[in-house]
Amino acid sequence: FKRKGQGDSFRYPQGCKLEQGNNRVYLPKLGWMRYRNSRAVLGEVKNITISQKNGKWFASIQTEREMEQAVHPSNTVIGIDLGVAKFAILSTGEVFAPINSLRTKQARLARYQRAMSRKTKFSKNWLKAKSKVAKLHSTITNIRKDYLHKTSTAISKNHAIIAIEALKVGNMSKSAAGTADKKGRNVKAKSGLNKTILDQGWFEFRRQLEYKQAWLGGQVIAVPPQYTSQRCACCGHTAKANRTTQSKFACLACGHSENADINAARNI
């Protein structure tokens, strides 16, 4: 059983028909229905899942077709260092700035949530306020996904092998509140950092790179992130003192100096 209003979806495993030229789909017991043809549907239709989100209905069409093993058009290998101040830094020196979709909408989201908290729960006005909060959350998610798709597509098209940090986002974004007996330190600052980390979508970015590289015939390699920011990309000397500031790396052994994020991407 499904709770009403959460995960509203149902699947047609058979009996579906599709007419892309007329922008309509046949669903058993519902008949022919019009839809917006957002992309070409290739192959034989196997099943269709209908889902509802924020008052809009979506059709996810699963198809089956044969494809030859793809060969990536490029032959380059790069490393990617992920961060907060800069979303992604490539070993080639290319930088992708963060989108921070939650931060840009945070004030409006707080205003909508305060308005919702003042309404009588489950009343019509409360449901209207809840709908506004849900739509804004959907907007924040769509902005983030759009940026991640554009960035991952640009990187995967130009590089055959991509090495990326295997970050454990859950551990990195744990609360610093501590326990009732042993209070944490810098709780507010850590809370803001956690929110910014989760706003980046690092794991979703890695997931998109993996399946896009599989389509193109490339490869994604997950690398342990330990000491990548402290190791010299030239001589391999590893020391905490090599990272003098947040943005500057200067090796104490060979004297190599470079931007800290680019050095870390080269290590990766």
Side-chain angles (χ1 to χ4, degrees):
F1 295 97
K2 293 183 179 180
R3 184 175 180 179
K4 184 180 178 181
Q6 293 185 4
D8 288 339
S9 66
F10 52 93
R11 174 173 292 184
Y12 289 100
Q14 56 192 7
C16 303
K17 301 175 186 176
L18 184 67
E19 289 187 1
Q20 295 186 68
N22 295 326
N23 287 349
R24 65 175 192 165
V25 59
Y26 179 83
L27 303 175
K29 297 188 179 181
L30 292 178
W32 288 101
M33 305 191 73
R34 301 199 68 80
Y35 77 101
R36 186 174 70 86
N37 198 10
S38 59
R39 59 178 296 181
V41 180
L42 306 176
E44 180 187 357
V45 176
K46 304 300 289 186
N47 60 67
I48 298 179
T49 301
I50 308 299
S51 60
Q52 187 265 134
K53 186 177 181 182
N54 293 328
K56 296 181 180 180
W57 290 92
F58 299 88
S60 177
I61 304 170
Q62 187 178 44
T63 64
E64 183 180 28
R65 63 191 175 107
E66 291 186 2
M67 291 183 62
E68 295 182 0
Q69 182 64 39
V71 178
H72 203 284
S74 176
N75 58 0
T76 58
V77 181
I78 60 156
I80 303 178
D81 180 61
L82 300 175
V84 172
K86 300 171 184 175
F87 171 70
I89 302 91
L90 308 189
S91 54
T92 56
E94 190 176 358
V95 177
F96 292 89
I99 192 69
N100 292 329
S101 59
L102 176 61
R103 185 184 297 176
T104 56
K105 306 286 185 183
Q106 195 167 359
R108 185 187 300 180
L109 180 62
R111 188 167 70 249
Y112 286 177
Q113 289 174 333
R114 283 196 300 270
M116 178 181 166
S117 67
R118 297 189 184 107
K119 305 291 189 296
T120 302
K121 203 168 186 181
F122 301 116
S123 66
K124 287 188 176 181
N125 285 333
W126 181 84
L127 292 173
K128 290 178 184 177
K130 183 183 179 184
S131 177
K132 290 180 71 174
V133 173
K135 285 181 180 178
L136 186 55
H137 271 301
S138 179
T139 300
I140 292 169
T141 303
N142 289 338
I143 292 172
R144 184 187 301 116
K145 281 188 175 181
D146 177 71
Y147 180 73
L148 293 178
H149 274 297
K150 288 176 179 176
T151 306
S152 59
T153 298
I155 295 174
S156 60
K157 280 184 177 180
N158 297 322
H159 305 286
I161 299 179
I162 300 172
I164 191 170
E165 293 174 293
L167 297 174
K168 295 184 179 179
V169 181
N171 294 342
M172 295 173 65
S173 58
K174 281 184 178 178
S175 173
T179 62
D181 299 329
K182 190 177 181 181
K183 303 292 184 181
R185 295 190 302 169
N186 300 326
V187 177
K188 190 173 182 180
K190 184 63 169 69
S191 175
L193 177 61
N194 292 347
K195 192 178 293 185
T196 306
I197 288 174
L198 295 173
D199 194 20
Q200 305 307 313
W202 290 335
F203 188 82
E204 173 65 13
F205 179 65
R206 175 181 159 186
R207 187 191 72 84
Q208 290 182 10
L209 283 176
E210 287 175 344
Y211 81 75
K212 289 176 183 180
Q213 284 293 82
W215 282 351
L216 294 169
Q219 187 179 3
V220 175
I221 302 172
V223 178
Q226 288 81 6
Y227 306 111
T228 54
S229 62
Q230 300 176 9
R231 184 186 301 115
C232 178
C234 289
C235 68
H237 177 256
T238 304
K240 189 176 181 180
N242 287 345
R243 186 87 178 255
T244 55
T245 63
Q246 181 67 25
S247 60
K248 187 176 180 181
F249 181 90
C251 181
L252 299 177
C254 68
H256 171 69
S257 180
E258 196 172 24
N259 179 276
D261 296 323
I262 297 176
N263 177 77
R266 290 179 61 190
N267 285 324
I268 294 166

